[in-house]
Amino acid sequence: MLDNSPYFRQPASVRSVMLRVLLALLPGIAAYVWFFGAAILVQIALASVAALAGEAAVLALRDKPVWLFVSDGSALVTAWLVALSLPPITPWWMVVVATLIAIVVVKHLYGGLGQNPFNPAMAAFCIMIVAYPQLMSQWPAAGHHASFAAQWQLIFGGARTLVELDAVTMATALDTLRTALHAAESKATVAGVLGSQPTFGTFGGRGWEWVAAGYLLGGLWLIQQRIITWHIPVAFVATLALAAGLANFIAPDRHAGAMLHLFAGGAMLGAFFIATDPVSGATTPRGKLVYAAGIALITWIIRAFGAYPDGIAFATLLMNICAPLIDLYTQPPVFGHKTDAAART
Amino acid sequence: MLRKLFNFNGGVKPAYHKEASTTQPIADFHAVAPMPAEFVIPLHQSIGGMPHPLVTAGETVKKGQLIGGPDGYVSSAVHASTSGRVKAVEMRLMPHTSGLSALCVVIEPDGRDEWIERAPVPWHSMAPDEVRDAVRDAGLVGLGGAVFPSHLKVNPGRKGKLDTLVINGAECEPFITCDDMQMRERPDAIVRGAAIMRDLTLAGQVLIGIEDNKPEAIAAMQAAVSATGAARIEIVAIPTRYPAGGAKQLIRVLTGIEVPHGKRSTDYGVQCFNTGTIYGIYEALELGQPLISRIVTVAGNVERPRNFEVRFGTPMQDVIAQCGPKPDTDRIIMGGPMMGYAMPSADVPVVKATNCILVGSQALFPPPPPEMPCIRCGECAKACPADLQPFEMYWFARAKIFGKAQEYHLFDCIECGCCAYVCPSRIPLVDYYRFAKSEIWARENEKSAADEARERYEFRMAREEREKQERAAKLAAKAAETKAKQAAAAAAAAAPVDKLALIAAAQERARQQAAAPQNTGNLTPEQQAQVAAAEARRAQALQNEGTD
């Protein structure tokens, strides 16, 4: 052990950072349970157990101190984000497989905590949506969701019939909009779709808008706690709003407005909890702006023109690749090397 | 008048722990404690060349007598702390983490504590160079902890005058209160010293920056400025935030100027001195008293934290003993908790750099929790007062990619410790930077040594080649000459008629040679001696070249 200055330190730890991130997710989760039932809690529990078990196993294999790392809370954050990204009524093994991919493959095969170039939760989400597109699109309907017993049956019950599913699921707002607008020779307009479908709420996806509001609340608390800086959420929200707003202004029939984009799908979760992952993201102040704007812009492009209803996960991975380059070109000026410092003298 | 202050980025606000050692006034250590059995005075107490010893074992010295002569321009003098007998000039353990020893003058006090003759230095009427020599010979170095020889800074710089002379009374490190107490108790001398330095550096204004957590010091200094009527000297309260007392940070706060790494602050019209140094300047020039003591804070794990005026060479353990160290004491730190060094033993002497003796324990400075991997959270970058990206430098230092670490401005790091202080992964970041810097220095030394060796080798190869060619040319010339002679002889034998003509030609050549001026003839004896000396030097040079 080195005994050099500084001899005392701020009482900060990775664990306290991670625990506060988990706390910040609670308002969103509360809204989730309110509108879509307690199934999400089952999924979060499954993911947590899978993450901790997977993390412990790999740490043991890698001869790393198991308790030190398992207790740092980072695996739980990944687990919760995986669970919150997947539909809450998917079979139990889906969330377990996704979490294990996130922890074992995306995090530990790249070197573990602090080393992974890709956001583990988002990489797992992408693999799952490519591998199981159908299971990944069965989202519960807001309000008249199934009872907890029925949800439990859906998660653990094995075979699911379409009839069962149809009664309790509903296409998400973004999916509905995309399907309607992209259909061949579609005459549908945004206003028409919005007005005719129960999946839309007051300003976002029905039910989902309040979940997003919960994430927004938790995210603002994270900024207040100085866990994250304002750069990434602000750049993300501003870029998505600007892109959607501009497209909506130019072609109001073909493109939904800013509010729908921000309060449907994973925009708020992405802005405050996904893009802000410091390990896989850009870290310089200017770099964070570029990085988050990139994710938001790619997300909007995928949503507006792509084959998938939402694009946060793909956009995040694409920008993860660019993060080191963005950091390299956005290094902040060092003390005394600022150009205006010379001008002052 | 409310002065516009500037801001530096980053910094931290640790618990300051400054109250405990400010309840008692400064005590003259040698008045309250028995004389130490011996003073161990290291010769090397400043940045730069190591002063050479001017005394030998057995000699008697007086208090304030020069015992170490400065070695070159970047060096400073060292003086006897009391009168007595020189016991030895030998290697002793230094107050440094390395545990290395260095040459010290060991003085056995005679108890009379007898001063040398002291006389004020007439600095008003002296040339700047003479004043600088006087400051150097008084042994003045930066007492904030950097111990840079002060005479090098008594200089208005290339512009010919300073815009601003900054006096550093910020004292931002936790626990340390020596400057605070000195400003409270001896403000007049500091203000007079500041006025002297203002005149020596032709400074337009003097700004004395003090962190606003020292209201007593600020009030005392303001009163002293009013009382002495010193012109163009202003006391400026600055926000308390570590490391506001870093010279560059303080200059930035007071003037808005950012002095880049590797540049002189005088190029920007600014110079910065610590208040303790300024006090020393006053004593040296106005009283003719060399630097033989300083104010030392003893704080931390002791019953009675306090400030003492301690002579250099006093063993730290003697000083600590006066303050009642608690039984769980496990280490002695020189300096503050942010930038201090752990001492190899409590036996080491107090030196010019000893602003604080911080007594530590497991309870006060618990060992850091296990190091976790960096999660790039960026807390360190937010805290860095040099606007660096510490986690990037850590990454490259750890991977031993030192070139990259340098590209991320490793050498702009002032090792203030803010990054390590805030790191949630408890990575000892500063250790990585110290390691990377020392590796880079070692490699540069190795490289320059290798370059020299290569140059020597190449020079020798070139010389040998040249000599070989010269020998070959000589041989060839000789051969050609012989050949020509033989040819001439053969020709003469063949054509005797031409012989007369040849003789005539030879006679003509001889006549011309005799007429040509001889540059070594008709010389005076002095000139001949010079020529002989030159010849000797040439011979010597040739010989040297041969042995190389």
Side-chain angles (χ1 to χ4, degrees):
Chain A
M1 190 192 76
L2 290 156
D3 186 31
N4 286 330
S5 59
Y7 292 99
F8 65 5
R9 294 157 171 277
Q10 211 171 40
S13 67
V14 173
R15 188 184 303 168
S16 84
V17 170
M18 296 296 172
L19 287 181
R20 279 183 282 174
V21 173
L22 293 178
L23 266 179
L25 282 167
L26 290 181
I29 294 173
Y32 206 131
V33 173
W34 178 262
F35 284 99
F36 301 99
I40 187 63
L41 299 180
V42 177
Q43 302 284 9
I44 288 175
L46 281 171
S48 301
V49 172
L52 294 178
E55 176 114 327
V58 183
L59 286 168
L61 284 173
R62 294 179 63 203
D63 282 335
K64 297 268 179 186
V66 174
W67 173 245
L68 177 66
F69 284 101
V70 165
S71 64
D72 69 17
S74 64
L76 284 180
V77 171
T78 303
W80 287 30
L81 291 176
V82 169
L84 292 173
S85 316
L86 266 50
I89 50 173
T90 50
W92 63 271
W93 56 265
M94 285 276 290
V95 76
V96 170
V97 168
T99 309
L100 288 177
I101 289 173
I103 295 289
V104 177
V105 179
V106 187
K107 182 179 175 184
H108 275 288
L109 288 192
Y110 283 96
L113 181 64
Q115 312 285 318
N116 45 292
F118 296 105
N119 182 303
M122 289 302 100
F125 178 91
C126 287
I127 291 171
M128 297 311 278
I129 202 167
V130 171
Y132 306 98
Q134 206 141 36
L135 284 171
M136 288 289 283
S137 58
Q138 292 164 348
W139 292 88
H144 51 93
H145 57 76
S147 69
F148 182 64
Q151 288 187 330
W152 182 274
Q153 185 62 28
L154 284 170
I155 296 171
F156 293 105
R160 307 136 66 95
T161 65
L162 274 178
V163 181
E164 266 175 356
L165 278 171
D166 264 354
V168 293
T169 61
M170 177 190 276
T172 62
L174 290 173
D175 204 5
T176 306
L177 195 63
R178 187 187 61 87
T179 314
L181 295 177
H182 286 208
E185 292 164 32
S186 165
K187 294 279 191 299
T189 62
V190 170
V193 178
L194 256 59
S196 65
Q197 300 282 344
T199 188
F200 299 99
T202 325
F203 49 90
R206 190 159 175 209
W208 295 113
E209 60 199 4
W210 296 108
V211 177
Y215 293 144
L216 172 63
L217 191 69
L220 292 175
W221 180 71
L222 282 184
I223 295 178
Q224 187 267 328
Q225 289 286 300
R226 296 171 56 89
I227 300 283
I228 58 174
T229 62
W230 59 269
H231 302 82
I232 287 180
V234 166
F236 187 103
V237 168
T239 308
L240 188 57
L242 206 69
L246 202 65
N248 181 251
F249 177 73
I250 293 165
D253 284 351
R254 303 290 303 162
H255 295 287
M259 280 305 270
L260 184 74
H261 273 282
L262 290 176
F263 286 92
M268 285 301 163
L269 190 66
F272 288 95
F273 294 92
I274 307 273
T276 50
D277 168 27
V279 174
S280 57
T283 48
T284 64
R286 279 186 302 145
K288 283 176 181 174
L289 297 177
V290 175
Y291 171 78
I295 297 181
L297 191 64
I298 297 172
T299 297
W300 179 79
I301 291 170
I302 294 174
R303 283 177 173 186
F305 307 107
Y308 289 97
D310 203 349
I312 303 278
F314 292 107
T316 304
L317 295 193
L318 284 172
M319 291 310 289
N320 282 165
I321 301 171
C322 306
L325 196 69
I326 294 172
D327 274 349
L328 189 66
Y329 284 106
T330 54
Q331 282 298 310
V334 169
F335 186 94
H337 299 282
K338 294 159 196 161
T339 41
D340 64 331
R344 262 202 301 271
T345 60
Chain B
M1 185 182 82
L2 215 61
R3 170 167 288 279
K4 174 177 162 42
L5 292 180
F6 297 84
N7 199 0
F8 64 91
N9 295 327
V12 294
K13 290 184 176 173
Y16 282 94
H17 300 283
K18 286 183 188 259
E19 302 76 24
S21 57
T22 52
T23 55
Q24 299 284 314
I26 300 171
D28 179 359
F29 178 75
H30 304 278
V32 298
M35 263 294 171
E38 57 180 32
F39 284 90
V40 179
I41 305 170
L43 286 163
H44 203 193
Q45 294 193 49
S46 70
I47 302 279
M50 162 134 163
H52 45 271
L54 298 174
V55 290
T56 52
E59 258 180 75
T60 56
V61 291
K62 282 189 176 167
K63 179 177 170 184
Q65 183 179 328
L66 195 66
I67 55 173
D71 171 49
Y73 194 50
V74 185
S75 181
S76 192
V78 179
H79 304 80
S81 300
T82 186
S83 60
R85 191 180 64 88
V86 176
K87 213 162 122 184
V89 179
E90 61 184 17
M91 303 294 275
R92 289 290 186 97
L93 191 62
M94 294 298 282
H96 189 263
T97 312
S98 63
L100 293 176
S101 295
L103 202 59
C104 297
V105 175
V106 184
I107 297 175
E108 192 177 37
D110 59 12
R112 289 199 293 274
D113 209 20
E114 205 179 330
W115 268 106
I116 48 160
E117 290 283 319
R118 286 167 291 165
V121 178
W123 59 272
H124 284 287
S125 55
M126 282 161 70
D129 269 356
E130 292 172 329
V131 178
R132 275 193 282 276
D133 284 350
V135 170
R136 182 188 63 187
D137 295 340
L140 279 161
V141 298
L143 296 183
V147 291
F148 187 81
S150 300
H151 64 277
L152 299 169
K153 290 166 72 178
V154 185
N155 196 332
R158 274 185 230 157
K159 286 183 172 180
K161 63 180 176 59
L162 286 185
D163 299 325
T164 307
L165 175 65
V166 170
I167 310 279
N168 189 346
E171 199 165 48
C172 58
E173 269 247 20
F175 288 100
I176 307 180
T177 57
C178 58
D179 293 345
D180 183 5
M181 292 307 287
Q182 195 178 37
M183 287 189 286
R184 291 191 204 186
E185 295 186 19
R186 306 171 185 177
D188 285 359
I190 298 173
V191 171
R192 280 176 212 279
I196 296 172
M197 198 54 92
R198 175 199 63 203
D199 295 347
L200 288 174
T201 55
L202 310 172
Q205 60 171 352
V206 182
L207 301 179
I208 304 182
I210 306 171
E211 275 192 348
D212 56 14
N213 63 353
K214 304 174 189 56
E216 296 91 346
I218 294 170
M221 292 290 287
Q222 258 157 358
V225 171
S226 315
T228 52
R232 310 198 306 283
I233 298 183
E234 193 184 328
I235 308 298
V236 187
I238 60 166
T240 299
R241 183 158 49 110
Y242 179 85
K248 289 185 176 179
Q249 279 65 36
L250 185 62
I251 289 172
R252 163 81 187 151
V253 168
L254 291 176
T255 68
I257 295 167
E258 288 188 8
V259 180
H261 169 71
K263 290 272 173 62
R264 286 166 208 267
S265 62
T266 50
D267 292 349
Y268 299 83
V270 194
Q271 186 61 283
C272 181
F273 289 93
N274 170 262
T275 48
T277 314
I278 289 296
Y279 180 84
I281 296 267
Y282 164 78
E283 280 201 328
L285 298 184
E286 291 291 349
L287 310 177
Q289 218 159 282
L291 188 70
I292 59 165
S293 65
R294 66 161 298 149
I295 316 287
V296 179
T297 306
V298 186
N301 199 40
V302 289
E303 300 287 352
R304 300 175 297 279
R306 189 168 193 180
N307 281 280
F308 293 102
E309 171 130 26
V310 187
R311 309 256 180 94
F312 304 129
T314 308
M316 281 189 190
Q317 60 190 10
D318 288 21
V319 187
I320 297 165
Q322 282 297 310
C323 301
K326 294 179 188 169
D328 61 336
T329 293
D330 69 344
R331 78 193 109 166
I332 308 297
I333 295 159
M334 187 169 97
M338 297 299 285
M339 293 184 75
Y341 293 92
M343 294 293 102
S345 149
D347 207 15
V348 293
V350 168
V351 292
K352 293 178 183 179
T354 313
N355 49 4
C356 178
I357 302 172
L358 185 55
V359 182
S361 69
Q362 291 289 309
L364 197 56
F365 305 125
E371 187 178 334
M372 298 281 289
C374 171
I375 53 170
R376 298 169 64 80
C377 65
E379 280 301 311
C380 49
K382 275 192 260 173
C384 181
D387 304 329
L388 302 169
Q389 297 280 298
F391 57 93
E392 301 280 13
M393 299 196 315
Y394 155 74
W395 183 267
F396 292 117
R398 191 185 148 101
K400 300 189 182 176
I401 307 172
F402 299 123
K404 272 281 183 193
Q406 265 179 289
E407 277 176 36
Y408 280 90
H409 305 279
L410 174 67
F411 284 96
D412 284 59
C413 167
I414 57 171
E415 300 180 21
C416 64
C418 288
C419 51
Y421 178 79
V422 299
C423 178
S425 292
R426 302 100 165 210
I427 301 169
L429 290 160
V430 187
D431 284 337
Y432 283 95
Y433 310 144
R434 291 185 186 123
F435 163 72
K437 285 180 184 177
S438 60
E439 285 292 306
I440 291 167
W441 282 323
R443 284 180 189 194
E444 273 171 11
N445 285 346
E446 251 172 51
K447 190 177 171 293
S448 61
D451 282 349
E452 269 175 37
R454 200 191 60 241
E455 273 167 30
R456 265 205 311 275
Y457 174 75
E458 281 171 358
F459 180 75
R460 197 178 107 192
M461 293 305 280
R463 177 169 52 75
E464 283 177 354
E465 182 59 26
R466 194 190 65 223
E467 284 172 356
K468 209 162 109 188
Q469 279 172 1
E470 278 170 2
R471 270 198 303 276
K474 235 182 237 169
L475 280 172
K478 216 167 191 175
E481 206 179 327
T482 327
K483 220 176 192 172
K485 264 185 194 158
Q486 283 169 349
V497 192
D498 284 339
K499 213 169 184 176
L500 282 174
L502 278 173
I503 289 164
Q507 277 170 343
E508 177 62 22
R509 274 204 304 279
R511 215 177 294 126
Q512 272 171 5
Q513 244 167 31
Q518 272 191 324
N519 65 353
T520 50
N522 307 322
L523 291 177
T524 64
E526 288 92 331
Q527 282 169 327
Q528 275 169 352
Q530 275 175 354
V531 169
E535 291 291 345
R537 274 201 303 277
R538 191 179 304 156
Q540 186 66 41
L542 283 169
Q543 206 174 352
N544 285 347
E545 206 180 51
T547 54
D548 157 331

